[in-house]
Amino acid sequence: MMSFSPIPVFDGHNDALLRLLRAGCGSEAAFVEGEPACHLDLERARAGRMVGGFFAIYVPDEAVDGAEIDALMSLPAYDVPLPAPLDPAYATRTALAMMAILIRLGRISRGAVRLVGSVAEIEAAMEDGALAALPHMEGAEAIDPDLHALEVFHAAGLRSLGPVWSRPTIFGEGVPFRYPSGPDIGGGLTEHGKRLVRACNRLGILVDCSHLNEKGFQDVARISDAPLVATHSNAHALCPHARNLTDRQLDAIRASGGVVGLNFATSFIRPDGRREPDTPLSMMVDQIGYLVDRLGIDGVALGSDFDGATIPDAIGDASGLQRLFEALSARGYDRDALERIGYRNWLRVLRVTLGG
């Protein structure tokens, strides 16, 4: 039993919008009223003291065989080939549909879910007991080379963007799902990608380095004038997966005053890289401990990947978030440190990046 009141959680990544898109008509009401099988809905968020987070707009490639990928990632070592680039028109339609779902969630919930675009709005939602939803684009396939769509999505509320998912775009190359492997795979940002980073800096859009390869990461570090952020990534030193961050990358993030959100996906937590639900909380705490040692307590947050990954049974879903804080408390973290990890570090870096 916790010896402290629950820690508020602002989470760096979830894929609830993708789940709702696939569920079709009426899915927004199910999110508000409660669903039988998911990681995140309004009821689960409240139970876990989740006050908000980055809601990902991720465009799926329906031609990719998910079962085949799952089978590959169950092997002791694996290398999932990068999928082909998406059709831009399809990507834009799908991203618009997901943004519309998020807008409808606010209306259907009567403000219990609230689209936010600033730290002041996040704090107001927290004060009112609403779930603060910050729109995030995971992979910029919906953005055109001239960046007109970026301006439109920003006007609609977009405040965070990853130039790539784990596939190529006109902006750069994503890192493949490969274990064991480092992230130094493929080329860096294209000229379009460099323009995208600069435009995000100008508009006040956070640039997410999760899913970028090593050269792309270094390009962002060289170009961006904002803190470096990886919304849902872990330490490569503890789990040598291509998706995880090397010490060199972590050092660059620390030097910029940035943040890393711990990804709950078991394949990025476990030293053996396995998608195994029976992953102990101690491995998550070990990851946080390593990140704190490398980044400092101000550089570590959470980026769960709810509804987009295999989550440890010890957490289960958003309602189980406080179990992680219990484990951290038992490892010696005081309330100030827990609050920094839980929400204050995200609010700090968002205040710097969004400008208020």
Side-chain angles (χ1 to χ4, degrees):
M1 179 177 295
M2 277 192 300
S3 60
F4 51 83
S5 58
I7 303 296
V9 177
F10 192 86
D11 181 49
H13 189 88
N14 75 72
D15 281 299
L17 295 179
L18 176 61
R19 187 187 81 247
L20 298 178
L21 176 74
R22 287 173 164 166
C25 183
S27 60
E28 297 92 349
F31 183 94
V32 174
E33 295 164 5
E35 301 186 60
C38 68
H39 289 148
L40 178 62
D41 58 19
L42 188 56
E43 180 180 349
R44 287 175 170 86
R46 286 170 170 167
R49 194 63 176 96
M50 180 175 168
V51 298
F54 294 63
F55 279 65
I57 297 169
Y58 163 73
V59 180
D61 186 346
E62 303 296 358
V64 173
D65 188 338
E68 182 178 334
I69 291 175
D70 289 347
L72 282 173
M73 292 183 67
S74 297
L75 299 173
Y78 50 84
D79 183 2
V80 179
L82 287 177
L86 293 181
D87 172 66
Y90 160 73
T92 301
R93 289 196 307 271
T94 307
L96 286 170
M98 296 176 79
M99 192 75 188
I101 288 171
L102 188 52
I103 293 168
R104 287 195 297 270
L105 272 175
R107 183 169 63 247
I108 291 169
S109 71
R110 298 184 178 181
V113 179
R114 189 179 300 178
L115 192 152
V116 295
S118 69
V119 173
E121 290 175 352
I122 294 170
E123 291 174 335
M126 292 174 63
E127 183 69 23
D128 295 340
L131 182 66
L134 186 88
H136 163 75
M137 188 169 284
E138 185 180 23
E141 288 93 345
I143 306 301
D144 59 287
D146 294 320
L147 307 182
H148 300 314
L150 183 70
E151 300 273 3
V152 174
F153 276 105
H154 177 261
L158 185 71
R159 293 297 182 269
S160 176
L161 175 147
V164 299
W165 184 69
S166 289
R167 61 189 166 211
T169 74
I170 62 170
F171 303 111
E173 296 184 40
V175 71
F177 294 102
R178 182 184 296 178
Y179 176 91
S181 175
D184 194 4
I185 305 164
L189 295 181
T190 65
E191 289 305 312
H192 290 310
K194 294 171 184 176
R195 288 183 58 241
L196 175 65
V197 171
R198 295 186 182 101
C200 287
N201 285 171
R202 173 175 55 82
L203 291 169
I205 298 174
L206 180 149
V207 178
D208 180 18
C209 293
S210 299
H211 289 280
L212 270 173
N213 60 13
E214 171 70 21
K215 290 183 175 63
F217 177 96
Q218 295 301 330
D219 282 339
V220 173
R222 186 164 48 252
I223 295 167
S224 180
D225 58 15
L228 296 174
V229 167
T231 61
H232 58 305
S233 297
N234 296 343
H236 188 273
L238 298 189
C239 172
H241 196 293
R243 262 282 282 115
N244 283 339
L245 299 164
T246 65
D247 286 350
R248 178 183 176 188
Q249 291 173 316
L250 294 175
D251 291 347
I253 291 170
R254 178 170 187 157
S256 76
V259 168
V260 174
L262 177 79
N263 193 322
F264 293 9
T266 63
S267 53
F268 306 147
I269 292 171
R270 299 172 60 91
D272 61 9
R274 300 298 295 272
R275 298 180 69 178
E276 175 53 65
D278 188 21
T279 294
L281 279 174
S282 60
M283 289 187 179
M284 301 178 74
V285 175
D286 289 344
Q287 280 278 348
I288 288 176
Y290 190 91
L291 293 172
V292 168
D293 287 345
R294 204 82 197 186
L295 297 165
I297 194 62
D298 290 332
V300 184
L302 303 181
S304 68
D305 217 344
F306 282 144
D307 286 318
T310 300
I311 304 294
D313 287 340
I315 298 292
D317 56 41
S319 67
L321 279 166
Q322 295 302 314
R323 297 176 198 142
L324 177 57
F325 293 104
E326 292 176 10
L328 289 167
S329 177
R331 193 72 72 90
Y333 291 81
D334 62 17
R335 184 170 184 91
D336 178 71
L338 297 178
E339 288 186 352
R340 289 174 190 272
I341 293 168
Y343 74 101
R344 284 164 53 191
N345 287 340
W346 275 132
L347 268 56
R348 175 189 63 79
V349 81
L350 285 170
R351 185 174 284 110
V352 173
T353 303
L354 307 186

